[in-house]
């Protein structure tokens, strides 16, 4: 960004805010406004801005270069939106007369930030960033011939343009968008071979790359536009860029047409069954398929990006489950159709954040036996006005209007010497497990309990001992005293 552009953008931002900000030492500071948090860590001589929209997870990681006083050049190094990476903007960062920080730029605008003594900036945690995942364009999967150039266009898990055996390139497709009005697909292409190479043995994206700037990838831009008669116009940029934003804003200097699919809709089919994994007579993994819980089919213009939790929520699967009387939900899983492994090597337990990439799946809900009797329960009703009502039976816990089945329990504190007996309960509601605990103060003449309300858990068994450093022992908020009724 030139100094002339920087000064122009700086003047515009001052006009927008109507406030002249004073410079402040940002190094190592942390600032807060509502749920938002902005940190300014340093790494060597470099100054960064770490923006947490919800106060917990990084949304933008920005490098700042001081241009004097309150003026900076900002560049997005990482963003939740891959298409923004590499974007540059002038930024005005400073404090007003109340010592409140303001940030004004085309990348981020936020005001009324305050700092607190003793809170310091945190660096971007690369380990929390999901690996890159490519868009599988199953709706275009196939090989096509470009009309004028006679190049071969291959589309599927990757996009490949092939002139001849010595002149071709491969690319992974990321950040796909679709403009329904213009009937145009817009692809961000990632190349991992040498920049501007005429030939390639491009290994592509393996799924292990945690952070774009560390990968040495190059980027280009491509669009596909539908025309009448199954004719598609293809445009792409021949020059590869160093960042996604540069690539998406560079000229697409290549254009051609090809005969492609009549429709570009992707068809998805999901079936949900009861079923536990087992082994056949050869020791191979198979499924004891039970009743069908639900099935759904739908079409999409874009490859689906739904996580497993979003799939369950979107189609309200938990509300459609009718468990047998003697069973509890254990875990969801799926298996590939071509099972060649033994033991459970082809059983994939589904976590909330997992994103299924194929268009057809059979998902199975594994069941476990319900315990005949609950353990470590002291039955009773405990309540307090404006707090809530807790009812404990032999095998159920009810908190206000929600009833949970007790899956497992463990004593976390034995009480005695005036201390409460604390019992942890792994409970289940609508096929989702939760962890809670009850502090029993009823054996020492106090006649009340306190309750850690249920918190969703991925566990299938209750931790036998409490460990404050382990996330497995996390429960919900602790209530005030609930009196015995």
């Amino acid at each position: 960004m030139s100094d002339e552009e920087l000064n122009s953008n700086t003047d515009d931002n001052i006009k927008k805010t109507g406030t002249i900000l004073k410079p402040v030492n940002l190094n190592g500071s942390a600032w807060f406004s509502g749920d938002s948090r902005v940190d300014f860590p340093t790494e060597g001589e470099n100054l960064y801005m770490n923006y947490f929209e919800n106060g917990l997870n990084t949304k933008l990681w920005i490098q700042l270069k001081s241009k004097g006083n309150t003026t900076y050049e900002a560049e997005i190094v990482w963003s939740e939106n891959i298409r923004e990476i590499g974007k540059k903007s002038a930024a005005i960062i400073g404090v007003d007369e109340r010592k409140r920080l303001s940030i004004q730029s085309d990348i981020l605008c936020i005001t009324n930030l305050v700092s607190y003594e003793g809170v310091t900036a945190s660096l971007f945690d690369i380990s929390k960033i999901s690996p890159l995942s490519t868009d599988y364009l199953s709706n275009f999967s196939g090989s096509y011939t470009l009309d004028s150039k006679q190049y071969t266009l291959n589309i599927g898990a990757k996009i490949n343009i092939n002139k001849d055996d010595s002149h071709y390139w491969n690319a992974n497709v990321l950040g796909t968008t679709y403009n329904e009005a213009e009937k145009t697909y817009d692809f961000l292409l990632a190349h991992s071979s040498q920049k501007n190479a005429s030939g390639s043995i491009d290994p592509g994206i393996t799924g292990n790359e945690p952070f774009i700037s560390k990968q040495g990838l190059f980027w280009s831009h491509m669009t596909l536009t539908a025309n009448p008669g199954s004719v598609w116009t293809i445009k792409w940029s021949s020059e590869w860029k160093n960042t996604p934003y540069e690539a998406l804003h560079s000229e697409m200097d290549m254009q051609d047409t090809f005969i492609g699919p009549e429709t570009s809709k992707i068809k998805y089919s999901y079936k949900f069954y009861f079923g536990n994994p087992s082994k056949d007579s050869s020791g191979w993994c198979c499924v004891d398929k039970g009743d069908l819980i639900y099935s759904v089919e739908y079409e999409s213009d874009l490859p689906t990006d739904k996580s497993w939790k979003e799939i369950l929520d979107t189609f309200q699967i938990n509300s459609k489950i009718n468990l047998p009387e003697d069973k509890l939900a254990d875990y969801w899983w799926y298996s590939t159709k071509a099972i060649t492994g033994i033991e459970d090597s082809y059983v994939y337990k589904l976590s909330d954040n997992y994103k299924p990439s194929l268009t057809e799946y059979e998902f199975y809900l594994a069941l476990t036996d319900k315990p005949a009797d609950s353990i470590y329960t002291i039955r009773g009703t405990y309540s307090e006005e404006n707090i809530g009502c807790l009812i404990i039976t032999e095998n159920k816990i009810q908190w206000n209007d929600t009833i949970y089945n007790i899956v497992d329990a463990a004593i976390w504190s034995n009480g005695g010497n005036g201390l409460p007996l604390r019992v942890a309960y792994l409970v289940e509601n609508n096929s989702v497990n939760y962890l809670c605990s009850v502090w029993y103060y009823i054996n020492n003449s106090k006649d009340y309990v306190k309750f850690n309300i249920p918190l969703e858990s991925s566990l299938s068994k209750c931790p036998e001992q409490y460990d404050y450093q382990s996330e497995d022992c996390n429960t919900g908020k602790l209530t005030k005293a609930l009196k015995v009724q």
Side-chain angles (χ1 to χ4, degrees):
M1 179 174 288
S2 69
D3 289 340
E4 184 177 341
E5 291 174 313
L6 192 67
N7 292 332
S8 174
N9 288 340
T10 300
D11 292 340
D12 289 343
N13 280 320
I14 291 174
K15 289 176 184 177
K16 287 178 188 176
T17 61
T19 302
I20 297 178
L21 301 174
K22 296 179 181 179
V24 64
N25 182 13
L26 298 172
N27 293 6
S29 62
W31 301 77
F32 302 83
S33 177
D35 291 334
S36 299
R37 172 174 174 165
V38 184
D39 288 6
F40 294 92
T42 57
E43 196 170 41
E45 297 182 354
N46 296 323
L47 175 64
Y48 293 92
M49 180 162 61
N50 195 358
Y51 172 53
F52 307 84
E53 185 179 42
N54 58 5
L56 297 173
N57 300 313
T58 297
K59 185 176 179 68
L60 290 170
W61 176 246
I62 299 167
Q63 184 169 7
L64 298 174
K65 294 181 180 178
S66 176
K67 297 296 182 178
N69 292 323
T70 60
T71 306
Y72 295 83
E73 180 179 300
E75 179 179 358
I76 298 176
V77 182
W78 183 86
S79 169
E80 286 183 342
N81 180 359
I82 192 173
R83 288 172 160 258
E84 292 184 336
I85 294 174
K87 182 178 180 178
K88 295 180 179 180
S89 170
I92 306 298
I93 307 175
V95 294
D96 59 20
E97 57 187 14
R98 298 180 301 161
K99 304 295 184 184
R100 296 187 176 232
L101 190 77
S102 289
I103 302 167
Q104 301 293 334
S105 75
D106 291 339
I107 293 172
L108 176 65
C109 288
I110 187 169
T111 59
N112 289 321
L113 290 153
V114 297
S115 62
Y116 298 99
E117 187 176 350
V119 182
T120 56
S122 57
L123 285 167
F124 180 45
D125 188 351
I126 295 174
S127 67
K128 291 184 178 180
I129 301 306
S130 301
L132 293 178
S133 58
T134 60
D135 295 330
Y136 173 49
L137 306 174
S138 60
N139 46 340
F140 287 101
S141 186
S143 185
Y144 311 95
T145 300
L146 302 188
D147 293 330
S148 63
K149 296 183 177 61
Q150 296 299 298
Y151 294 173
T152 299
L153 170 66
N154 298 298
I155 305 179
K158 294 185 182 184
I159 281 183
N160 165 280
I161 289 184
N162 189 323
K163 179 181 178 181
D164 54 44
D165 289 344
S166 300
H167 300 83
Y168 60 90
W169 53 252
N170 298 320
N172 292 87
V173 183
L174 295 93
T176 301
T177 64
Y178 179 68
N179 186 318
E180 189 170 359
E182 298 179 2
K183 297 183 179 179
T184 296
Y185 285 85
D186 192 297
F187 304 139
L188 172 64
L189 302 184
H191 310 262
S192 56
S193 60
Q194 182 181 352
K195 189 174 183 181
N196 298 327
S198 59
S200 171
I201 53 170
D202 178 22
I205 293 174
T206 66
N208 296 318
E209 302 83 353
F211 191 46
I212 288 171
S213 67
K214 307 291 185 185
Q215 296 174 63
L217 296 176
F218 301 101
W219 306 88
S220 67
H221 189 197
M222 176 182 285
T223 61
L224 297 180
T225 302
N227 304 298
S230 302
V231 176
W232 290 81
T233 298
I234 179 172
K235 296 180 181 179
W236 74 94
S237 52
S238 61
E239 185 177 356
W240 298 358
K241 300 294 185 180
N242 291 320
T243 69
Y245 190 84
E246 286 180 281
L248 293 170
H249 291 80
S250 64
E251 179 187 4
M252 288 186 288
D253 56 340
M254 306 292 285
Q255 180 172 331
D256 215 318
T257 57
F258 65 94
I259 303 299
E262 293 181 12
T263 177
S264 59
K265 297 285 187 183
I266 305 175
K267 295 182 178 180
Y268 288 91
S269 174
Y270 299 151
K271 294 182 178 179
F272 305 83
Y273 291 93
F274 291 116
N276 284 44
S278 62
K279 291 184 287 185
D280 64 15
S281 58
S282 301
W284 290 5
C285 173
C286 59
V287 59
D288 295 327
K289 187 185 293 187
D291 293 340
L292 177 69
I293 297 170
Y294 189 66
S295 65
V296 62
E297 293 182 352
Y298 68 97
E299 294 183 337
S300 174
D301 293 304
L302 294 172
T304 186
D305 195 36
K306 288 186 175 68
S307 67
W308 172 242
K309 187 176 189 307
E310 288 171 333
I311 289 173
L312 290 178
D313 292 344
T314 299
F315 303 116
Q316 299 181 330
I317 301 304
N318 288 332
S319 67
K320 298 173 171 62
I321 297 171
N322 292 312
L323 289 171
E325 286 281 336
D326 59 340
K327 298 292 184 182
L328 293 174
D330 197 355
Y331 58 88
W332 282 99
W333 66 285
Y334 77 94
S335 184
T336 57
K337 287 187 176 179
I339 296 175
T340 56
I342 58 173
E343 300 298 336
D344 59 353
S345 57
Y346 278 74
V347 174
Y348 300 89
K349 293 185 179 181
L350 291 159
S351 62
D352 285 350
N353 296 325
Y354 177 77
K355 293 184 177 182
S357 59
L358 304 181
T359 56
E360 288 187 43
Y361 281 95
E362 288 187 353
F363 300 115
Y364 306 108
L365 178 58
L367 303 178
T368 186
D369 292 332
K370 181 185 292 186
D373 297 298
S374 67
I375 51 176
Y376 307 130
T377 61
I378 301 178
R379 287 172 284 177
T381 299
Y382 315 91
S383 65
E384 185 63 47
E385 189 176 356
N386 298 324
I387 298 178
C389 179
L390 175 67
I391 301 173
I392 301 176
T393 67
E394 287 184 356
N395 49 31
K396 295 183 187 298
I397 287 179
Q398 180 174 343
W399 175 239
N400 295 325
D401 294 328
T402 306
I403 298 174
Y404 301 89
N405 297 308
I406 297 175
V407 178
D408 192 23
I411 294 177
W412 279 359
S413 173
N414 285 310
N417 296 322
L419 298 174
L421 168 70
R422 186 184 183 188
V423 181
Y425 297 100
L426 187 70
V427 296
E428 174 271 334
N429 175 268
N430 282 333
S431 304
V432 178
N433 285 352
Y434 300 82
L435 191 64
C436 61
S437 71
V438 179
W439 301 69
Y440 292 101
Y441 291 84
I442 59 176
N443 293 327
N444 50 17
S445 303
K446 292 185 179 180
D447 246 16
Y448 66 84
V449 302
K450 291 184 179 180
F451 182 49
N452 286 109
I453 62 176
L455 180 69
E456 189 169 334
S457 173
S458 61
L459 301 177
S460 58
K461 185 175 177 57
C462 192
E464 293 184 3
Q465 294 180 328
Y466 178 67
D467 181 357
Y468 73 94
Q469 293 181 317
S470 172
E471 292 186 359
D472 285 349
C473 294
N474 288 347
T475 57
K477 184 179 179 181
L478 182 66
T479 69
K480 294 182 179 179
L482 306 171
K483 295 178 181 177
V484 176
Q485 301 301 311

